Amino acid sequence: MTAQPLLQITGLDVGYGHVGVLRDVALAVAPGSIVALVGSNGAGKSTLLRAISGLLRPSAGRIVFEAGDIAGWRPHRIVDLGIMQVAEGRRLFRRQSVHDNLELGLVGARLDRAAEAERYSAVYDLFPALRERPDVRAGVLSGGQQQMLAIAQALMRRPRLLMLDEPSLGLAPVIVDQLIDVILRLRAGGTTILLVEQMVERALEIADHAYVLQNGVVIGHGTPADIRAGDLIRRAYLGAGSEHATSD
Amino acid sequence: MDLDLIPAGLTAGSLYALVAMGFNILYRPTNVFNFAQGDLVMLGAMVGASVMALAGLPWLAGAAAAMLCVAVLALVEERVAVAPVLKRSAHGHSWVITTLAISMIIGNLVGRIWGPDPIAVKPPAPLSTETFYLLGMAVSSYQLALIAVTLLLVFGVEGFYRTRSGKAVMAVAEDRDAALLRGIDPDRLSRWSFFLGGAVAALTGILAAPLLYASTGLGPSLLLKGFAAAAVGGIGNNRGALLAGYIIGMAEAVGAAVLSPGYQLAMVFAVMLVILLIRPHGLFGSAEARTV
């Protein structure tokens, strides 16, 4: 990576109350790339995304987006900079319609009418199934459509960094294929993507770079080929204390 | 049964619906139930009555002064008693104590400044509290105006929730973290909601004053019945609050006529208990909860 990273995290410690979750995490995301963040349940992947989005305040370290340190900023200001997260579990506003959910992606965007119309048509082009039912309540959509709507909502703000937390969770394989297609199209359009995924192999297929997280620590990173060649994944998924377990 | 009960019940019910709507406006973006709401209503009545009856200024001047004054006070309440508590934990319940404290402070200060004597307030001209007969019911022009103004206010406020800011408030009510991740600033919405809720409370007090007098006793009685209307209608639902206000106002009027005026409050809470036993989330609340 020769280009200046879009996002650079160094020495990051994050915890809930007195319980530390992330320790001394360092991570860099190059502009226009897909970076995958893999690791077992409870490794701290979602915690890292929550810290980047400003939902959690780090106790130490720097989160540098472009040139500025955003650690500890309030979430809406981080969104204003162009960082959007699609949280785990398709956190939509289920009582509101598809159209209203998209509109809620625009709160604080300060665009004129024409620019807004252009945003709607761009996300409807990416997700044609949503265009057919703008007045349906989000809560009654299928799981796949809800995930598409959640991503579409985040895209209304044209984020420069899109963070996706477990987008494939609970979706049928054919829907996951569509999702991967969308992620690749977004990268082709210039959006940088930080992808947290349980389905490691699917994530490595499309990632330019991957980080492996275990027990709140980055235990390694590299290209997907590097990751596959080493035993990082086995260590990350075969439980705690693996430093000792793999020493022989 | 006496037909006069209908305008009496609807008038009282309108006031309860307005108190409930004040609760709901503050509740939506914060999940905080403002125990000082009754005192905000009472303070609105006292300020309005002082400007109109004591200083002799026109009704509109009194209403504007009271609404501005109480809205600013509600904003101060949000900054002092609610925001710091929610900052520590968005799902904590310390606001029960802090808003109750604000209620007592306002109640004591108003008692000290204005004293215990009720102030009589005349309705704005050309309205009057003199009754005439309409379809066999004794009703005053002021009662009719109050019922109409309440309807306009409820539907006007509901219209606000169809704007983008209103949808953002509903988004915060449904999922605060998800709203934060979309760039919505709940603090800003909560400040505006307290300001607006304070203005609605003051207007409620001013509207109530020609019928009930402006006095320190106005707060507690409207607080209880307004709370009942909010609970029966489904917390956060203003159309539910309107219907529930009417039901409670009618129950109270019928209870007073059929049993005895002493049973008014018992009637109100009997009706509330029965409705909440059948629909625990209120008349309009369960339909929303079921969609989740």
Side-chain angles (χ1 to χ4, degrees):
Chain A
M1 282 190 283
T2 48
Q4 168 83 11
L6 183 65
L7 178 77
Q8 178 137 38
I9 294 174
T10 46
L12 193 73
D13 290 357
V14 185
Y16 295 91
H18 296 293
V19 185
V21 177
L22 296 177
R23 269 170 298 134
D24 197 24
V25 166
L27 177 145
V29 179
S33 69
I34 297 176
V35 170
L37 191 59
V38 298
S40 64
N41 264 335
K45 306 182 299 287
S46 296
T47 302
L48 179 55
L49 294 198
R50 287 172 69 82
I52 297 170
S53 282
L55 293 181
L56 287 173
R57 182 181 283 270
S59 46
R62 285 159 59 84
I63 302 173
V64 176
F65 185 72
E66 297 202 301
D69 187 355
I70 59 167
W73 281 29
R74 298 210 294 151
H76 67 97
R77 297 200 47 211
I78 291 172
V79 167
D80 287 343
L81 278 184
I83 300 180
M84 269 285 185
Q85 180 186 161
V86 179
E88 190 180 342
R90 311 188 262 283
R91 298 275 285 271
L92 291 164
F93 306 110
R94 303 166 69 88
R95 293 174 202 160
Q96 304 201 40
S97 70
V98 167
H99 176 274
D100 288 353
N101 268 277
L102 295 179
E103 183 178 356
L104 284 164
L106 289 173
V107 175
R110 287 181 284 276
L111 299 170
D112 63 30
R113 208 170 262 275
E116 288 194 355
E118 198 265 317
R119 297 277 169 103
Y120 284 106
S121 67
V123 300
Y124 281 139
D125 287 345
L126 199 57
F127 304 106
L130 298 179
R131 177 176 270 145
E132 288 159 25
R133 34 195 346 204
D135 300 321
V136 170
R137 260 188 299 121
V140 303
L141 295 176
S142 69
Q145 286 173 339
Q146 286 187 11
Q147 187 59 269
M148 300 298 176
L149 179 58
I151 295 172
Q153 190 185 47
L155 291 176
M156 292 299 283
R157 280 296 278 271
R158 292 271 157 90
R160 281 184 294 160
L161 175 66
L162 180 66
M163 305 192 292
L164 302 170
D165 194 355
E166 305 277 8
S168 75
L169 197 72
L171 299 184
V174 57
I175 307 289
V176 176
D177 291 341
Q178 289 177 20
L179 202 63
I180 283 178
D181 181 52
V182 164
I183 293 171
L184 290 173
R185 282 164 71 181
L186 289 173
R187 177 180 60 180
T191 308
T192 308
I193 289 160
L194 180 57
L195 174 66
V196 166
E197 204 25 271
Q198 284 277 9
M199 298 171 86
V200 178
E201 196 39 53
R202 304 294 316 250
L204 292 181
E205 271 169 31
I206 57 170
D208 300 298
H209 204 83
Y211 284 80
V212 185
L213 210 59
Q214 186 198 21
N215 291 335
V217 176
V218 173
I219 58 170
H221 66 99
T223 63
D226 297 339
I227 303 285
R228 287 197 192 94
D231 71 339
L232 284 170
I233 297 292
R234 197 170 57 82
R235 274 170 58 195
Y237 283 87
L238 290 185
S242 54
E243 285 120 283
H244 307 292
T246 55
S247 60
D248 51 9
Chain B
M1 201 172 66
D2 195 348
L3 280 178
D4 293 351
L5 294 177
I6 294 172
L10 291 183
T11 308
S14 296
L15 289 174
Y16 305 153
L18 287 177
V19 177
M21 188 165 79
F23 274 128
N24 288 339
I25 289 171
L26 305 197
Y27 178 83
R28 274 177 167 164
T30 57
N31 284 345
V32 165
F33 214 79
N34 181 22
F35 282 94
Q37 196 69 22
D39 300 276
L40 297 180
V41 171
M42 181 266 291
L43 183 66
M46 298 307 282
V47 172
S50 302
V51 173
M52 293 171 213
L54 305 181
L57 289 170
W59 188 90
L60 265 179
M67 285 170 74
L68 186 65
C69 188
V70 176
V72 169
L73 185 72
L75 187 61
V76 171
E77 181 191 0
E78 196 270 347
R79 290 287 88 195
V80 171
V82 177
V85 164
L86 291 184
K87 190 167 188 176
R88 203 162 300 158
S89 158
H91 306 288
H93 289 93
S94 317
W95 50 262
V96 173
I97 299 300
T98 55
T99 62
L100 207 54
I102 297 284
S103 158
M104 288 173 179
I105 292 169
I106 298 174
N108 279 332
L109 282 180
V110 169
R112 199 161 268 236
I113 296 169
W114 275 278
D117 297 333
I119 308 170
V121 177
K122 281 205 210 73
L127 297 173
S128 129
T129 47
E130 304 265 323
T131 56
F132 58 91
Y133 280 89
L134 181 77
L135 306 170
M137 301 176 286
V139 59
S140 72
S141 60
Y142 186 69
Q143 284 179 310
L144 291 177
L146 176 64
I147 292 168
V149 165
T150 300
L151 281 170
L152 283 176
L153 271 174
V154 170
F155 287 100
V157 167
E158 279 304 287
F160 162 75
Y161 288 104
R162 282 194 290 276
T163 66
R164 184 169 296 171
S165 296
K167 288 173 188 170
V169 170
M170 299 310 288
V172 172
E174 186 175 340
D175 188 337
R176 192 181 173 91
D177 275 1
L180 282 167
L181 288 179
R182 290 297 156 262
I184 295 169
D185 179 7
D187 290 352
R188 199 180 130 257
L189 296 175
S190 131
R191 287 195 295 274
W192 274 107
S193 293
F194 266 76
F195 191 81
L196 181 65
V200 167
L203 188 58
T204 308
I206 291 160
L207 291 172
L211 299 171
L212 305 173
Y213 295 106
S215 81
T216 47
L218 200 58
S221 73
L222 283 178
L223 177 82
L224 266 181
K225 291 166 198 163
F227 169 79
V232 168
I235 304 283
N237 190 308
N238 289 329
R239 266 173 249 179
L242 184 64
L243 183 62
Y246 289 158
I247 291 172
I248 287 167
M250 289 306 300
E252 190 182 48
V254 171
V258 176
L259 301 169
S260 111
Y263 288 114
Q264 268 192 357
L265 210 54
M267 238 346 235
V268 168
F269 285 96
V271 167
M272 179 174 116
L273 280 177
V274 169
I275 293 177
L276 290 183
L277 275 174
I278 301 166
R279 298 183 71 94
H281 298 285
L283 294 171
F284 286 68
S286 59
E288 282 198 351
R290 206 176 291 138
T291 64
V292 176

